[in-house]
Amino acid sequence: QDKYKVVLAGIDSPELAQNFGTEAKKFLEKLVLKQSVTLQIQGKDRLGNYIGVLLANGDDDPRVELLKQGLAWTSEKNPNPDLEPYRSWAQQKKKGLWQEENPTPPWTFRRQQTMVGPKSS
């Protein structure tokens, strides 16, 4: 049984060390664990992880649900215009991470971590 690390295309959830990171992970697990899923791979990121679109139970897109719950941003580079309305709605409704006045995007958080020093495993 092969295992792959997959990054969901078009969204970026908070890192586990950030506020709402654990919530995002648990919410995604609830959506896809032990479900029949379809994965459409779109390439690899610079770390070698697959980037893809995952659909659970045929057509449920967990990216949309994560965005609607305020548990993800749309990607920093080339945000998907189809996903942006869900992020915008969650921000207006102050869902999840949008409860904070100025939440730190995960890409900014990661850059700050690499400047701090060596990464711990």
Side-chain angles (χ1 to χ4, degrees), residues 11-29:
I11 68 166
D12 202 345
S13 285
E15 294 292 326
L16 291 175
Q18 288 184 272
N19 289 344
F20 295 99
T22 304
E23 290 88 336
K25 179 180 186 235
K26 287 181 177 167
F27 186 77
L28 180 60
E29 286 173 347

Side-chain angles (χ1 to χ4, degrees), residues 63-107:
R63 300 174 306 164
V64 169
E65 298 308 317
L66 284 161
L67 288 165
K68 283 169 40 179
Q69 294 296 319
L71 296 173
W73 278 259
T74 45
S75 295
E76 176 187 25
K77 294 185 176 93
N78 306 318
N80 181 330
D82 294 337
L83 295 175
E84 189 58 28
Y86 300 110
R87 185 211 54 79
S88 179
W89 179 85
Q91 188 172 6
Q92 288 169 3
K93 299 285 185 191
K94 296 199 180 318
K95 295 270 196 182
L97 59 90
W98 301 112
Q99 295 168 36
E100 296 178 10
E101 195 170 317
N102 195 9
T104 302
W107 52 86

Side-chain angles (χ1 to χ4, degrees), residues 25-43:
K25 179 180 186 235
K26 287 181 177 167
F27 186 77
L28 180 60
E29 286 173 347
K30 198 169 76 179
L31 291 175
V32 301
L33 271 183
K34 300 192 183 349
Q35 301 297 320
S36 173
V37 297
T38 306
L39 177 62
Q40 182 182 21
I41 294 178
Q42 298 183 339

